[in-house]
Amino acid sequence: MTHDVLVIGSGAAGLTAALELAEHKKVLVLAKGKLTSGSTAWAQGGIAAVLDAGDTFDNHIRDTMVAGGGLNDRETVEFVIERAPKAIDRLCELGVPFNREEGDLHLTREGGHSHRRIVHVNDATGWAVQAALLKAAEENPNITLLPNQSCVDLVTGRNQKDYSGSGRVWGAYALDEDSGKVVTHLARATVMAAGGAGRVYLFSTAPRGATGDGIAMAWRAGARVSNMEMMQFHPTCLYNLEVKNFLITEAVRGEGGRLFNPVTGERYMEKYDAERMELAPRDIVARANDDQIKRYGLDYVHLDISHQPPEFVKEHFPTIHEKLLGLGIDMTKGPIPVVPAQHYTCGGVKVDLDARTDLPGLWAAGECTESGLHGANRLASNSLLECFVFGEAAAKDILSCWDELDDPPEILPWDESRVTDSDEEVVIKQNWTEIRRFMWNYVGIVRTTKRLERAAHRIRLLRDEVEDYYGHFRVTTDLIELRNLLECANLIVTSALKRQESRGLHFTLDYPETDPIARDTVLVP
């Protein structure tokens, strides 16, 4: 199947690129699972933009750089933040029903921000944004949306009938889950917007499909990745044995929520960041929560906003309030049990300001990339913003150089002549569980060289097993995801071992100091 442009991923980054491209080209959008199954729909908080009279771009840039531990690329930070108000205007035009107060957009504040600048739709912003983008895409005759497609690998010059080592990307091989067949999708240009790798960890707020597919595919095809050790852990994920990944948004703390030790009753953030308390950046709050849990042998800490009027809490957090009531917790009357959990992949495929990767024919946007915006720690509500800005940047660059892009050559079909159906699915489940458990225990919020080396040793053992399995059996979505999870685990551990300092999200007991010069950790295939 050939289209003008192939977009892998149906979240904010992928659909933004598709809508911009579709004004002139035919676009195919592939989604793994449902069209709404990506991380965008799960975003509770909102989108950061300078919209208040007392705020400035310089303030937002400074807050982003401070949160990012100085590892951010300032040119990228300026590029994104200066385009934020325009991105919000476009979303309003698409019909996103942002909260308003006397006609003006209601702005909330989150950790690390010096001003109120978060536009939101109650506490379910991502769902409203996803719905608006999807509606626009479904109504566009130049966009074809194809769900239940699990991409296996990028199609490159190595897959041409006349072999080429150029690294040129021509599309992707994808497993059609309905037919069980691997289909070749070809295009002049490909946009990778496949999301992050959160599910490499045992506890994560990311959706089930966040298995690092885009990062792993681009790496195998020859693209560099950067700063994969910078895995963000959200400080406040609901602690509930039945509900494993329900996020309690940053905005609860932004609107006055306080953290307490459930045993001592102490409000402890003063020990870790006396000035900003609960509004410190996520890496600081997550480490504080982790320290309290480990120091006192707790299962969780308490997040309490019950001192605020009940109507205020219900009005600001209707989704969370309703969800918690169903679990027997009334946040208007008492505290919420919370734990840190993996939340966002700050590293990824290296891209420039045009969203270009190292590989000709491949652009990338969103959580699968490392653009220079987030540095060593993402500032709250900058993630959806990055998706809109770089999704648009990818589309504009593709359109500007369209005449230089060749039509795809003849590509070899997917070869499954030497494989059979698996009768050992237990191997996948066992390895998946093992990866997520040792990554949580050894490569979590606080690290040591010995723990990282233990993780690296297990990855080496698993790699042979997974590659042998992949070589003998037909691909399934579970197998594709396991292969990509292991690849991303290896990239995270390798990057973490290379960074011999503590900065932002990478905190190691063996190197607690921060180097005077900030350097990216860049891995070359």
Side-chain angles (χ1 to χ4, degrees):
M1 297 174 67
T2 304
H3 295 77
D4 291 332
V5 183
L6 173 67
V7 175
I8 300 171
S10 60
L15 292 180
T16 298
L19 288 166
E20 187 85 19
L21 286 160
E23 292 183 19
H24 305 280
K25 303 298 173 189
K26 297 280 188 185
V27 184
L28 173 65
V29 178
L30 301 182
K32 185 171 72 170
K34 296 178 183 177
L35 294 166
T36 55
S37 62
S39 295
T40 295
W42 290 47
Q44 291 178 347
I47 306 158
V50 174
L51 298 165
D52 186 56
D55 200 3
T56 64
F57 286 147
D58 283 343
N59 289 334
H60 193 178
I61 290 164
R62 184 182 63 252
D63 292 346
T64 300
M65 298 288 289
V66 168
L71 195 64
N72 329 60
D73 178 81
R74 187 178 179 91
E75 187 182 5
T76 304
V77 175
E78 292 172 356
F79 177 80
V80 173
I81 285 166
E82 288 169 4
R83 284 160 178 76
K86 186 183 168 193
I88 301 301
D89 288 343
R90 281 201 305 274
L91 292 170
C92 291
E93 289 168 13
L94 285 172
V96 177
F98 290 118
N99 287 32
R100 292 181 180 269
E101 208 167 46
E102 298 178 2
D104 294 328
L105 288 166
H106 178 265
L107 304 176
T108 189
R109 186 180 170 192
E110 294 181 344
H113 288 275
S114 57
H115 290 72
R116 285 182 171 265
R117 62 168 72 101
I118 317 298
V119 299
H120 61 106
V121 183
N122 296 325
D123 55 353
T125 308
W127 185 258
V129 168
Q130 178 77 42
L133 290 170
L134 204 49
K135 181 174 183 289
E138 287 170 340
E139 292 172 355
N140 193 308
N142 281 341
I143 296 176
T144 303
L145 299 165
L146 208 54
N148 303 317
Q149 305 293 309
S150 295
C151 288
V152 187
D153 266 319
L154 291 169
V155 174
T156 69
R158 288 179 286 188
N159 306 111
Q160 290 177 210
K161 190 173 181 183
D162 297 323
Y163 177 90
S164 167
S166 65
R168 173 67 157 93
V169 173
W170 297 110
Y173 294 114
L175 172 67
D176 182 336
E177 292 188 341
D178 296 330
S179 70
K181 300 292 184 187
V182 174
V183 181
T184 309
H185 297 283
L186 302 180
R188 278 203 205 181
T190 301
V191 179
M192 181 64 76
R199 284 305 200 166
V200 79
Y201 284 96
L202 186 60
F203 299 106
S204 174
T205 64
R208 166 69 175 72
T211 50
D213 305 326
I215 297 167
M217 282 192 286
W219 170 259
R220 286 194 295 266
R224 291 174 300 162
V225 302
S226 178
N227 296 343
M228 284 296 289
E229 72 276 29
M230 299 303 178
M231 272 287 178
Q232 186 175 75
F233 291 79
H234 198 287
T236 55
C237 181
L238 175 68
Y239 177 80
N240 185 285
L241 296 179
E242 294 174 17
V243 182
K244 295 279 177 70
N245 56 0
F246 187 71
L247 178 68
I248 307 299
T249 175
E250 190 102 2
V252 172
R253 300 200 310 284
E255 295 297 343
R258 301 165 182 169
L259 288 162
F260 293 93
N261 182 307
V263 173
T264 65
E266 180 189 18
R267 185 182 176 190
Y268 53 80
M269 275 310 299
E270 189 174 11
K271 292 180 179 178
Y272 302 93
D273 195 313
E275 184 181 344
R276 293 174 292 188
M277 300 284 283
E278 284 85 2
L279 288 176
R282 287 177 179 175
D283 59 327
I284 294 169
V285 183
R287 278 200 297 278
N289 291 354
D290 183 66
D291 184 55
Q292 289 286 310
I293 287 168
K294 287 176 176 169
R295 186 183 297 267
Y296 289 90
L298 308 172
D299 288 325
Y300 53 81
V301 293
H302 275 155
L303 175 63
D304 196 350
I305 195 171
S306 62
H307 57 279
Q308 295 280 33
E311 290 310 313
F312 175 91
V313 175
K314 291 176 191 175
E315 181 186 340
H316 280 74
F317 310 109
T319 309
I320 296 173
H321 179 256
E322 185 180 345
K323 177 77 171 181
L324 293 179
L325 276 182
L327 298 169
I329 301 166
D330 187 345
M331 66 189 289
T332 68
K333 295 180 178 178
I336 307 164
V338 295
V339 291
Q342 189 285 336
H343 183 58
Y344 193 84
T345 309
C346 289
V349 183
K350 278 192 74 66
V351 292
D352 64 13
L353 293 182
D354 291 318
R356 290 191 180 205
T357 70
D358 297 327
L359 304 176
L362 181 67
W363 287 256
E367 194 178 352
C368 66
T369 68
E370 197 281 298
S371 66
L373 174 62
H374 307 306
N377 177 34
R378 175 175 70 84
L379 181 66
S381 290
N382 270 356
S383 52
L384 284 175
L385 176 58
E386 181 185 37
C387 291
F388 306 131
V389 172
F390 276 92
E392 182 183 14
K396 286 188 169 176
D397 192 53
I398 289 168
L399 293 172
S400 71
C401 68
W402 186 257
D403 292 340
E404 301 163 27
L405 301 174
D406 297 327
D407 287 325
E410 190 173 349
I411 298 294
L412 295 170
W414 182 257
D415 180 12
E416 54 176 36
S417 60
R418 291 163 292 178
V419 296
T420 60
D421 289 321
S422 170
D423 58 356
E424 292 185 294
E425 289 291 323
V426 68
V427 173
I428 293 177
K429 186 173 182 180
Q430 164 63 28
N431 287 350
W432 177 293
T433 305
E434 192 173 335
I435 291 167
R436 296 179 70 210
R437 192 169 290 282
F438 74 64
M439 287 297 290
W440 180 259
N441 289 333
Y442 294 157
V443 199
I445 295 171
V446 177
R447 300 162 180 175
T448 68
T449 301
K450 187 172 277 295
R451 287 181 206 161
L452 293 172
E453 287 172 345
R454 284 178 181 144
H457 176 65
R458 280 158 177 76
I459 288 167
R460 286 193 294 272
L461 294 175
L462 286 175
R463 186 180 286 280
D464 291 341
E465 197 169 307
V466 171
E467 283 305 313
D468 179 69
Y469 191 98
Y470 179 78
H472 283 89
F473 299 115
R474 284 192 179 88
V475 293
T476 62
T477 296
D478 285 346
L479 176 55
I480 292 165
E481 290 182 332
L482 173 64
R483 184 175 176 236
N484 293 334
L485 272 178
L486 186 60
E487 196 73 79
C488 287
N490 185 52
L491 293 170
I492 294 164
V493 172
T494 303
S495 298
L497 282 166
K498 280 183 176 290
R499 186 173 291 281
Q500 296 186 347
E501 64 161 350
S502 288
R503 183 185 297 273
L505 301 164
H506 178 70
F507 186 82
T508 168
L509 296 175
D510 293 313
Y511 302 98
E513 301 301 319
T514 301
D515 288 346
I517 300 173
R519 297 180 181 87
D520 290 325
T521 305
V522 181
L523 301 183
V524 180

